Amino acid sequence: VWNNVGNGSICINAQNICGKSVDFCQNIIIGEKPKLLPINGKTSICEKSTNTYTIASIKSNELIFWTVNNGTIINGQGTASIDVTWDKGLTNTQVCYTLTNECGPVKQCLDVNLIKLPNSNVGVDKKVCGLTTNLNALPDVGTGLWTFVSGPSNNISYNNPILPNSTTTVDQCGTYQFKWTENNQGCVDS
């Protein structure tokens, strides 16, 4: 058992009633497996986003191989930093690396929570007689909010702009455009 890494030697000799032989020595280099390094990067992210994951450094005698599930490595394989584009929010999502040297491999993983990206839908365009109508978004996931985009007047009122079927009143006739934005834990679509 070696207590320290570095240079050393193993020596052997034979001994019997006639005496002792000369030492036969073999020089050796005592190494160790790579050290596990933490993976740095976001762990709660939007599906379909691209994120960077890194470890502190790789020694010259080490090789690294990254793996991900529910995503694609788009840059950096074989280096201390990778870019990953994540797929849809599925369970058991991880980014891992295997670091190998002459003493063997070590593996480290980081769990990643993929948050569902909303698919906002404002519904169909419609013609309205009068100055008041119900907007008709088709909610997906998270919370929603109606906002005014364009029209002949920006004097708009809503009974409750977070309702997908909010009642909206304008003060002039004309064509108006509204936007429905959904936010699911910071993942936004509109």
Side-chain angles (χ1 to χ4, degrees):
V1 176
W2 302 101
N3 295 323
N4 297 310
V5 297
N7 295 325
S9 59
I10 298 176
C11 296
I12 184 172
N13 62 42
Q15 189 172 355
N16 63 21
I17 58 169
C18 297
K20 179 179 166 186
S21 71
V22 246
D23 285 348
F24 175 74
C25 294
Q26 177 72 43
N27 291 327
I28 60 168
I29 298 173
I30 304 154
E32 64 183 345
K33 284 186 175 183
K35 291 190 182 346
L36 282 177
L37 300 170
I39 299 172
N40 300 306
K42 290 184 180 179
T43 57
S44 191
I45 55 175
C46 302
E47 63 184 14
K48 301 180 183 177
S49 66
T50 299
N51 298 90
T52 300
Y53 295 89
T54 62
I55 62 170
S57 63
I58 301 172
K59 294 180 181 174
S60 61
N61 68 328
E62 296 173 337
L63 297 173
I64 189 167
F65 184 76
W66 293 90
T67 58
V68 297
N69 56 344
N70 302 324
T72 303
I73 298 170
I74 59 170
N75 188 30
Q77 183 62 273
T79 70
S81 177
I82 58 168
D83 296 323
V84 177
T85 298
W86 295 104
D87 297 330
K88 291 190 175 194
L90 302 169
T91 58
N92 301 322
T93 300
Q94 289 185 320
V95 57
C96 302
Y97 71 81
T98 301
L99 199 55
T100 305
N101 69 11
E102 61 278 356
C103 294
V106 294
K107 184 174 182 176
Q108 178 79 302
C109 292
L110 179 68
D111 292 332
V112 176
N113 176 34
L114 292 182
I115 301 167
K116 184 178 181 343
L117 184 64
N119 183 15
S120 71
N121 185 338
V122 297
V124 296
D125 292 344
K126 62 181 179 176
K127 293 183 180 182
V128 176
C129 294
L131 300 175
T132 300
T133 189
N134 282 357
L135 301 173
N136 293 307
L138 304 172
D140 182 34
V141 64
T143 59
L145 178 68
W146 283 107
T147 55
F148 169 73
V149 175
S150 65
S153 170
N154 61 2
N155 188 15
I156 310 295
S157 64
Y158 306 91
N159 73 325
N160 191 342
I162 65 171
L163 295 177
N165 61 347
S166 177
T167 301
T168 304
T169 302
V170 298
D171 67 351
Q172 292 181 25
C173 293
T175 301
Y176 289 82
Q177 185 177 8
F178 297 91
K179 178 170 67 172
W180 175 249
T181 302
E182 288 184 338
N183 183 332
N184 184 29
Q185 301 176 54
C187 300
V188 178
D189 185 46
S190 57

